[in-house]
Amino acid sequence: MADHRQDPHRQNLPGQDPHRYDPQEIEPRWQAVWAKEKTWEVTNDPFDGKSSYILVMLPYPSGEPHIGHLKVYTVGDAIAHFHRRRGERVLNPMGYDAFGLPAENHAIATGVHPRDSTAASIAAFRRQFRRWGVSIDWSRELATNDPAYYRWTQWIFLELLRAGLAYKKEAAVNWCPVDATVLANEQVVNGRCERCGAEVETRQLDQWLFRTTAYAQRLLDDLDTIDWPEHVKTMQRNWIGRSEGALVTFRSEDDPDVGYEVFTTRPDTLFGATFFVMAPEHPDVLRLAAGGPHEAEVREYVERAHHAPNSERSAAERPKTGVPLGRNVINPVNGEAIPIWVADYVLISYGTGAIMAVPGHDERDHAFAEVYGLPIRRVIDGPGGLPYSGDGPLVNSHPDFDGLPNREALTRIIAWLARDGRGERSINYRLRDWLVSRQRYWGCPIPVVYCEDCGLVPVPVDQLPVVLPDIEDYAPHGRSPLAAAEDWVATTCPACGGPARRETDTMDTFVDSSWYFLRYCDPHNDEAAWDPEALRRWMPVDQYIGGIEHAILHLMYARFFTKALADLGHLDFQEPFSALFTQGMITRDGAKMSKSRGNVVSPGPLVERYGVDTARAYILFIGPPDQDADWSDEGLEGVHRFLGRLWRLSAEAADPSRDEDSGGGAPGGDTGARDGLPAELAGADLELVRKAHWAIDKVTHDMDGRFAFNTAIAAVMELTNDCSRLRDSVSGGAMRFALETAASLVFPFAPHTATDAFHLLTGRRVWEEPWPVADERMLETDTFELVCQVMGKLRDRVQAPSSATPDELEALALAAPNVRHHIDGREIAKVVVVPGKLVNVVVR
RNA sequence: GCGGGCGUGGUGGAAUUGGUAGACACGCCGGCCUUAGGAGCCGGUGGGCGAAAGCCCUUGGGGGUUCGAGUCCCUUCGCCCGCACCA
């Protein structure tokens, strides 16, 4: 049949061609509709169907959003759209983690108040998110530096204080000399400040801490109840670091009333303990050394350890050093007097800060004993020399235990010690309490005051928020910049009305972000942090999405908050995030993007040139979203071509000037089917409609419970390619159905293009349409390609009826020419038939 | 050292429970259309042999289980990530 249609591509001068794909026109047009109609806003009103909370980690607003933001919000948006189209009410909010050091450092450098630079950044982020067409419920937007928000951060602090879960104590803390602030354990990486890279020092300061350790076991156990990536759970388990063992008391030789506890995972080796070691920070070290022969040496050693950079201390390969204190303790299992040493290979932060040293069966103790010529004793038999850390029978220990397998001896020795109070079974955790004090300005004020008469007094809840004052000098001077704001610091005691001074430390920003997901549920509540009823609508979060860099800190803190608030009666669930997805990084030329490398891809210019749909769809198409992916400009062009082709085909098919009955398919025209499909499909029409149903099935499965956006997009590409290939052979109805399906399926990834194409074809709004459902009958075919193997090797393919029995399939395969050729008169030993798939002939 | 993950064409990546390896896309080659094209469309593209039919090889290396292995098991090499003197 002659094609008398005009080829639109022959007249594609910009501005004149109605069939030119123009994302710069399409995208803002639909964004305006969504903004005007508040399409993505949801209420907390009762809802009959399922409600879903799809949450992407809130951004830290600094400068402009980068390509990583585009990726994570694109992933979140695809999931949110998919759930909405399946009839769920979806909460997809947005906020800003707006307190923090970078804004303050920027202020120190430029003099711009952090409040102003942060506000500018938030405005830039908001503008970009809108330009990206992300389906956010803007009515719930929040920023953690807003007094209306941090008022409730302070309330939570007071709740934790009331419960004894927040406390103040003088502690050896990590001090960053460059940022002039205390760091959490978690912010120290290889002995260096996570942020600025400076060597971290140790200081003794009065600090606020949250009692995370009280939740160690529950934080560990409840990991089994949530659907998180296994590697994230593993990282949390390692961080919590549970060890089973015993606490054993070693008494002073000079004073039997004084005892020193050690934690050991190997009480079976107690008989091999030949010395005792304390960490330099152990509070008894200097007292024990006083008056002894090594007093001066010990003093010097402790002093040096105190000032040594942490990175130096923590190098495991470094030679062991230490000094004897000149005193002994008694080994509780055999009464032997063994010398106490101080050595920096023992850490104050783990266990009791003191250890029993068993050089025969511990590598570190062995290395130390070698250096100082201390006795080394074998108490576990085993192959090879010492140190030996494997299992075996006890030797040289005690008549009751010698010969016993060490694991059994371990249990018995604990029981034996426990009988008269020399020791007990114990569990030790690596997890430390969370140090939340920061000697910085740009953070949430800690709502307590210090009164000369009443001491530490919490600010009453009705006086919250304690508002962060404006100051001029943000530079850290070893105390919080707030301390210089005398008008603010000087206050009256809420208890007695006398003079009092405010706490000048601020909170770690991780505190702000440990509960924001709760506030989204009820963001404008002035009476309380939230209405429990509002939380019941949404919490826990059904799908949390964010970067792997938060695998430990943020996710652990948010879990701790949830458990603590649940215990205080404020929440009725134990875990905040039922499911977690961590997206991979976008690299370029195999490396992380950075200004210094000059390999940064900025979303701004990208969106300007190709439209955001191309950028979004490409980011999802590039590979599995949980993996790192390398950016390619050529790959981006490919996705742009695909979206353009889909849109043009749709515009063309929708064009009323087109002859409806062109093409070689079955007679067109409306026959009652909703999409104008002919009642009886045949030929190319049937092929294309089948392909559309195949795509529905494929995309649905790739989205449902998986995050296989890349293969989902590939399926829509296949469908679109078939539309293009069959454009001259199918009826208008079949073509429109296939294109409408393609647009509908690609909507979660390229919402503007999909919306526009769908609207051109149907006049309807795709986001108001239910997600398409594949017709089972369209997924079945009358015949299939039977794979014929001989000895497991592919030899032929033949068409077989779908209804064929295994015997019939076997007969078909055996009749296939190339199968016969390869059997070649040999004896058939066995025939394996996989119905619907293949036949494998085994010959002798 | 401990824990987790990954090795597939020239490239990014596909391959529900073991069942046609290389979907889709990039790149490359050839063609069409065009005054032109950095627009659009069509065809080809893992390697080797062959005119073709077809045959052989191929998922980091080696071995095993199986009618059949990218997928399961053992072993080995390489890379990435987390923790790391954790007693």
PDB file of all heavy atoms in Angstrom, chain A residues 568-587:
ATOM      1  N   LEU A 568       9.526   5.597  75.639  1.00  0.00           N
ATOM      2  CA  LEU A 568       8.958   6.702  76.400  1.00  0.00           C
ATOM      3  C   LEU A 568       7.472   6.880  76.107  1.00  0.00           C
ATOM      4  O   LEU A 568       6.842   7.823  76.582  1.00  0.00           O
ATOM      5  CB  LEU A 568       9.712   7.997  76.070  1.00  0.00           C
ATOM      6  CG  LEU A 568      11.151   8.033  76.606  1.00  0.00           C
ATOM      7  CD1 LEU A 568      11.930   9.194  75.998  1.00  0.00           C
ATOM      8  CD2 LEU A 568      11.146   8.130  78.120  1.00  0.00           C
ATOM      9  N   GLY A 569       6.928   6.004  75.273  1.00  0.00           N
ATOM     10  CA  GLY A 569       5.490   6.023  75.013  1.00  0.00           C
ATOM     11  C   GLY A 569       5.071   6.944  73.889  1.00  0.00           C
ATOM     12  O   GLY A 569       3.877   7.194  73.704  1.00  0.00           O
ATOM     13  N   HIS A 570       6.037   7.471  73.132  1.00  0.00           N
ATOM     14  CA  HIS A 570       5.679   8.421  72.086  1.00  0.00           C
ATOM     15  C   HIS A 570       5.468   7.760  70.723  1.00  0.00           C
ATOM     16  O   HIS A 570       4.936   8.388  69.813  1.00  0.00           O
ATOM     17  CB  HIS A 570       6.757   9.498  71.956  1.00  0.00           C
ATOM     18  CG  HIS A 570       6.932  10.301  73.214  1.00  0.00           C
ATOM     19  ND1 HIS A 570       5.898  10.987  73.792  1.00  0.00           N
ATOM     20  CD2 HIS A 570       8.011  10.515  73.996  1.00  0.00           C
ATOM     21  CE1 HIS A 570       6.340  11.599  74.898  1.00  0.00           C
ATOM     22  NE2 HIS A 570       7.613  11.316  75.038  1.00  0.00           N
ATOM     23  N   LEU A 571       5.936   6.546  70.558  1.00  0.00           N
ATOM     24  CA  LEU A 571       5.796   5.852  69.278  1.00  0.00           C
ATOM     25  C   LEU A 571       5.325   4.438  69.554  1.00  0.00           C
ATOM     26  O   LEU A 571       5.603   3.887  70.623  1.00  0.00           O
ATOM     27  CB  LEU A 571       7.150   5.781  68.543  1.00  0.00           C
ATOM     28  CG  LEU A 571       7.894   7.089  68.267  1.00  0.00           C
ATOM     29  CD1 LEU A 571       9.238   6.796  67.618  1.00  0.00           C
ATOM     30  CD2 LEU A 571       7.064   7.990  67.368  1.00  0.00           C
ATOM     31  N   ASP A 572       4.637   3.853  68.579  1.00  0.00           N
ATOM     32  CA  ASP A 572       4.220   2.477  68.798  1.00  0.00           C
ATOM     33  C   ASP A 572       4.816   1.526  67.769  1.00  0.00           C
ATOM     34  O   ASP A 572       4.214   0.546  67.361  1.00  0.00           O
ATOM     35  CB  ASP A 572       2.690   2.347  68.862  1.00  0.00           C
ATOM     36  CG  ASP A 572       2.018   2.953  67.653  1.00  0.00           C
ATOM     37  OD1 ASP A 572       2.735   3.272  66.686  1.00  0.00           O
ATOM     38  OD2 ASP A 572       0.780   3.109  67.667  1.00  0.00           O
ATOM     39  N   PHE A 573       6.022   1.834  67.329  1.00  0.00           N
ATOM     40  CA  PHE A 573       6.751   0.913  66.444  1.00  0.00           C
ATOM     41  C   PHE A 573       8.213   0.961  66.865  1.00  0.00           C
ATOM     42  O   PHE A 573       8.643   1.909  67.542  1.00  0.00           O
ATOM     43  CB  PHE A 573       6.587   1.321  64.975  1.00  0.00           C
ATOM     44  CG  PHE A 573       6.806   2.789  64.729  1.00  0.00           C
ATOM     45  CD1 PHE A 573       8.070   3.272  64.427  1.00  0.00           C
ATOM     46  CD2 PHE A 573       5.760   3.698  64.839  1.00  0.00           C
ATOM     47  CE1 PHE A 573       8.284   4.622  64.223  1.00  0.00           C
ATOM     48  CE2 PHE A 573       5.968   5.059  64.639  1.00  0.00           C
ATOM     49  CZ  PHE A 573       7.235   5.518  64.332  1.00  0.00           C
ATOM     50  N   GLN A 574       8.958  -0.045  66.473  1.00  0.00           N
ATOM     51  CA  GLN A 574      10.329  -0.186  66.952  1.00  0.00           C
ATOM     52  C   GLN A 574      11.386   0.184  65.921  1.00  0.00           C
ATOM     53  O   GLN A 574      12.522   0.471  66.266  1.00  0.00           O
ATOM     54  CB  GLN A 574      10.577  -1.633  67.397  1.00  0.00           C
ATOM     55  CG  GLN A 574       9.905  -1.981  68.706  1.00  0.00           C
ATOM     56  CD  GLN A 574      10.522  -1.222  69.875  1.00  0.00           C
ATOM     57  OE1 GLN A 574      11.731  -1.034  69.948  1.00  0.00           O
ATOM     58  NE2 GLN A 574       9.677  -0.764  70.798  1.00  0.00           N
ATOM     59  N   GLU A 575      11.002   0.136  64.643  1.00  0.00           N
ATOM     60  CA  GLU A 575      11.973   0.426  63.598  1.00  0.00           C
ATOM     61  C   GLU A 575      11.416   1.513  62.682  1.00  0.00           C
ATOM     62  O   GLU A 575      10.268   1.412  62.235  1.00  0.00           O
ATOM     63  CB  GLU A 575      12.289  -0.836  62.784  1.00  0.00           C
ATOM     64  CG  GLU A 575      13.174  -1.836  63.522  1.00  0.00           C
ATOM     65  CD  GLU A 575      14.613  -1.353  63.662  1.00  0.00           C
ATOM     66  OE1 GLU A 575      15.062  -0.535  62.831  1.00  0.00           O
ATOM     67  OE2 GLU A 575      15.287  -1.799  64.616  1.00  0.00           O
ATOM     68  N   PRO A 576      12.211   2.530  62.349  1.00  0.00           N
ATOM     69  CA  PRO A 576      11.690   3.638  61.536  1.00  0.00           C
ATOM     70  C   PRO A 576      11.561   3.302  60.050  1.00  0.00           C
ATOM     71  O   PRO A 576      10.683   3.847  59.390  1.00  0.00           O
ATOM     72  CB  PRO A 576      12.723   4.742  61.744  1.00  0.00           C
ATOM     73  CG  PRO A 576      13.989   4.033  62.101  1.00  0.00           C
ATOM     74  CD  PRO A 576      13.573   2.798  62.835  1.00  0.00           C
ATOM     75  N   PHE A 577      12.438   2.427  59.534  1.00  0.00           N
ATOM     76  CA  PHE A 577      12.489   2.220  58.083  1.00  0.00           C
ATOM     77  C   PHE A 577      12.339   0.732  57.755  1.00  0.00           C
ATOM     78  O   PHE A 577      13.291  -0.037  57.886  1.00  0.00           O
ATOM     79  CB  PHE A 577      13.809   2.752  57.515  1.00  0.00           C
ATOM     80  CG  PHE A 577      14.197   4.112  58.044  1.00  0.00           C
ATOM     81  CD1 PHE A 577      15.414   4.313  58.696  1.00  0.00           C
ATOM     82  CD2 PHE A 577      13.346   5.199  57.896  1.00  0.00           C
ATOM     83  CE1 PHE A 577      15.766   5.566  59.191  1.00  0.00           C
ATOM     84  CE2 PHE A 577      13.693   6.454  58.389  1.00  0.00           C
ATOM     85  CZ  PHE A 577      14.908   6.636  59.042  1.00  0.00           C
ATOM     86  N   SER A 578      11.146   0.346  57.316  1.00  0.00           N
ATOM     87  CA  SER A 578      10.890  -1.076  57.051  1.00  0.00           C
ATOM     88  C   SER A 578      11.791  -1.618  55.950  1.00  0.00           C
ATOM     89  O   SER A 578      12.251  -2.744  56.020  1.00  0.00           O
ATOM     90  CB  SER A 578       9.441  -1.282  56.633  1.00  0.00           C
ATOM     91  OG  SER A 578       8.591  -0.826  57.648  1.00  0.00           O
ATOM     92  N   ALA A 579      11.978  -0.807  54.922  1.00  0.00           N
ATOM     93  CA  ALA A 579      12.820  -1.250  53.808  1.00  0.00           C
ATOM     94  C   ALA A 579      13.775  -0.122  53.459  1.00  0.00           C
ATOM     95  O   ALA A 579      13.434   1.056  53.575  1.00  0.00           O
ATOM     96  CB  ALA A 579      11.971  -1.621  52.600  1.00  0.00           C
ATOM     97  N   LEU A 580      14.967  -0.527  53.057  1.00  0.00           N
ATOM     98  CA  LEU A 580      15.991   0.464  52.719  1.00  0.00           C
ATOM     99  C   LEU A 580      16.574   0.139  51.362  1.00  0.00           C
ATOM    100  O   LEU A 580      16.788  -1.029  51.031  1.00  0.00           O
ATOM    101  CB  LEU A 580      17.105   0.429  53.775  1.00  0.00           C
ATOM    102  CG  LEU A 580      18.340   1.297  53.491  1.00  0.00           C
ATOM    103  CD1 LEU A 580      18.001   2.776  53.614  1.00  0.00           C
ATOM    104  CD2 LEU A 580      19.472   0.938  54.442  1.00  0.00           C
ATOM    105  N   PHE A 581      16.798   1.186  50.594  1.00  0.00           N
ATOM    106  CA  PHE A 581      17.500   1.014  49.325  1.00  0.00           C
ATOM    107  C   PHE A 581      18.655   2.007  49.278  1.00  0.00           C
ATOM    108  O   PHE A 581      18.460   3.186  49.541  1.00  0.00           O
ATOM    109  CB  PHE A 581      16.552   1.254  48.136  1.00  0.00           C
ATOM    110  CG  PHE A 581      17.216   1.079  46.813  1.00  0.00           C
ATOM    111  CD1 PHE A 581      17.360  -0.182  46.277  1.00  0.00           C
ATOM    112  CD2 PHE A 581      17.742   2.160  46.139  1.00  0.00           C
ATOM    113  CE1 PHE A 581      18.008  -0.366  45.073  1.00  0.00           C
ATOM    114  CE2 PHE A 581      18.394   1.992  44.924  1.00  0.00           C
ATOM    115  CZ  PHE A 581      18.520   0.719  44.392  1.00  0.00           C
ATOM    116  N   THR A 582      19.840   1.520  48.987  1.00  0.00           N
ATOM    117  CA  THR A 582      20.992   2.429  48.908  1.00  0.00           C
ATOM    118  C   THR A 582      21.439   2.531  47.458  1.00  0.00           C
ATOM    119  O   THR A 582      21.748   1.520  46.824  1.00  0.00           O
ATOM    120  CB  THR A 582      22.166   1.929  49.765  1.00  0.00           C
ATOM    121  OG1 THR A 582      22.504   0.600  49.380  1.00  0.00           O
ATOM    122  CG2 THR A 582      21.798   1.947  51.238  1.00  0.00           C
ATOM    123  N   GLN A 583      21.441   3.744  46.956  1.00  0.00           N
ATOM    124  CA  GLN A 583      21.803   3.915  45.552  1.00  0.00           C
ATOM    125  C   GLN A 583      23.304   4.131  45.401  1.00  0.00           C
ATOM    126  O   GLN A 583      23.971   4.624  46.310  1.00  0.00           O
ATOM    127  CB  GLN A 583      21.017   5.063  44.918  1.00  0.00           C
ATOM    128  CG  GLN A 583      21.716   6.389  44.851  1.00  0.00           C
ATOM    129  CD  GLN A 583      21.677   7.139  46.166  1.00  0.00           C
ATOM    130  OE1 GLN A 583      21.199   6.619  47.156  1.00  0.00           O
ATOM    131  NE2 GLN A 583      22.182   8.351  46.173  1.00  0.00           N
ATOM    132  N   GLY A 584      23.813   3.734  44.245  1.00  0.00           N
ATOM    133  CA  GLY A 584      25.243   3.880  43.972  1.00  0.00           C
ATOM    134  C   GLY A 584      25.588   5.268  43.473  1.00  0.00           C
ATOM    135  O   GLY A 584      24.716   6.074  43.156  1.00  0.00           O
ATOM    136  N   MET A 585      26.876   5.514  43.406  1.00  0.00           N
ATOM    137  CA  MET A 585      27.380   6.820  43.011  1.00  0.00           C
ATOM    138  C   MET A 585      27.456   6.909  41.486  1.00  0.00           C
ATOM    139  O   MET A 585      27.629   5.898  40.823  1.00  0.00           O
ATOM    140  CB  MET A 585      28.787   6.950  43.585  1.00  0.00           C
ATOM    141  CG  MET A 585      29.255   8.340  43.843  1.00  0.00           C
ATOM    142  SD  MET A 585      30.856   8.342  44.685  1.00  0.00           S
ATOM    143  CE  MET A 585      31.668   6.885  44.092  1.00  0.00           C
ATOM    144  N   ILE A 586      27.333   8.125  40.972  1.00  0.00           N
ATOM    145  CA  ILE A 586      27.618   8.320  39.549  1.00  0.00           C
ATOM    146  C   ILE A 586      29.038   8.856  39.442  1.00  0.00           C
ATOM    147  O   ILE A 586      29.376   9.871  40.039  1.00  0.00           O
ATOM    148  CB  ILE A 586      26.629   9.298  38.896  1.00  0.00           C
ATOM    149  CG1 ILE A 586      25.221   8.708  38.953  1.00  0.00           C
ATOM    150  CG2 ILE A 586      27.019   9.559  37.452  1.00  0.00           C
ATOM    151  CD1 ILE A 586      24.169   9.578  38.311  1.00  0.00           C
ATOM    152  N   THR A 587      29.852   8.112  38.713  1.00  0.00           N
ATOM    153  CA  THR A 587      31.244   8.519  38.526  1.00  0.00           C
ATOM    154  C   THR A 587      31.413   9.002  37.095  1.00  0.00           C
ATOM    155  O   THR A 587      30.509   8.872  36.266  1.00  0.00           O
ATOM    156  CB  THR A 587      32.191   7.337  38.766  1.00  0.00           C
ATOM    157  OG1 THR A 587      31.854   6.289  37.844  1.00  0.00           O
ATOM    158  CG2 THR A 587      32.067   6.829  40.192  1.00  0.00           C
TER     159      THR A 587
END
